């Protein structure tokens, strides 16, 4: 392919065939994809509200009371990380997700260990 004949096409002129069989402008498709990212974090936000609220399924005074909060936060956080994309490059996206998840798992294990030691002491 000759580089002199290469012409970049603006995003407004590109059309993409959607899953429903309808052609749409790329810019519309891109905007819809960007808006959906927040939907994956709604369970984590609700879990955070539940943890901070005084109402609990398992009261925090019971020794295992905080463990359900930690478990709920970790599951919803993992869901949000798994579903969202940070960058368009899939390889970089995988690296970022793995770094965040490994750091989070380490922190949650440390939280559980600290809580277990506090119960025993």
């Amino acid at each position: 392919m000759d580089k002199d004949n290469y012409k970049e096409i603006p995003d407004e002129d590109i059309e993409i065939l959607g899953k429903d069989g309808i052609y749409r402008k790329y810019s519309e498709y891109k905007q819809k994809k960007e808006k959906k990212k927040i939907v994956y974090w709604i369970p984590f936000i609700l879990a955070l509200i539940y943890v901070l609220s005084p109402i609990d399924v398992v009261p925090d005074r019971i020794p295992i009371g905080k463990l359900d909060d930690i478990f709920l936060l970790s599951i919803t956080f993992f869901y949000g990380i798994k579903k969202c994309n940070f960058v368009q490059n899939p390889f970089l996206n995988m690296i970022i997700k793995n770094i965040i998840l490994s750091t989070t798992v380490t922190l949650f294990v440390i939280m559980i260990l600290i809580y277990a030691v506090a119960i025993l002491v």
Side-chain angles (χ1 to χ4, degrees):
M1 180 183 218
D2 190 13
K3 290 185 180 183
D4 295 332
N5 294 334
Y6 176 76
K7 181 179 176 184
E8 187 152 335
I9 301 172
D11 286 349
E12 299 84 35
D13 296 337
I14 299 174
E15 290 187 348
I16 294 179
L17 179 63
K19 291 181 181 178
D20 54 0
I22 298 173
Y23 281 97
R24 290 189 177 80
K25 295 284 184 185
Y26 176 71
S27 56
E28 290 177 26
Y29 178 76
K30 190 174 177 181
Q31 288 173 354
K32 287 181 182 178
K33 279 289 197 185
E34 295 296 322
K35 289 180 184 177
K36 287 179 73 175
K37 286 183 180 181
I38 191 70
V39 173
Y40 300 129
W41 290 101
I42 290 175
F44 179 71
I45 293 168
L46 292 175
L48 196 59
I49 291 170
Y50 167 75
V51 168
L52 295 176
S53 73
I55 302 169
D56 270 339
V57 174
V58 180
D60 290 340
R61 292 183 301 275
I62 300 173
I64 61 167
K66 290 195 190 293
L67 291 179
D68 74 321
D69 296 343
I70 293 171
F71 181 73
L72 185 64
L73 282 175
S74 63
I75 294 298
T76 56
F77 185 76
F78 291 148
Y79 175 78
I81 292 291
K82 181 182 173 189
K83 291 291 187 176
C84 76
N85 291 321
F86 297 100
V87 291
Q88 295 298 326
N89 185 336
F91 183 70
L92 286 176
N93 199 26
M94 181 185 66
I95 291 173
I96 292 170
K97 284 182 180 183
N98 286 338
I99 290 171
I100 292 172
L101 287 176
S102 62
T103 305
T104 306
V105 166
T106 305
L107 290 174
F108 278 121
V109 167
I110 290 172
M111 283 174 53
I112 290 171
L113 289 175
I114 290 172
Y115 184 67
V117 169
I119 289 173
L120 295 174
V121 171

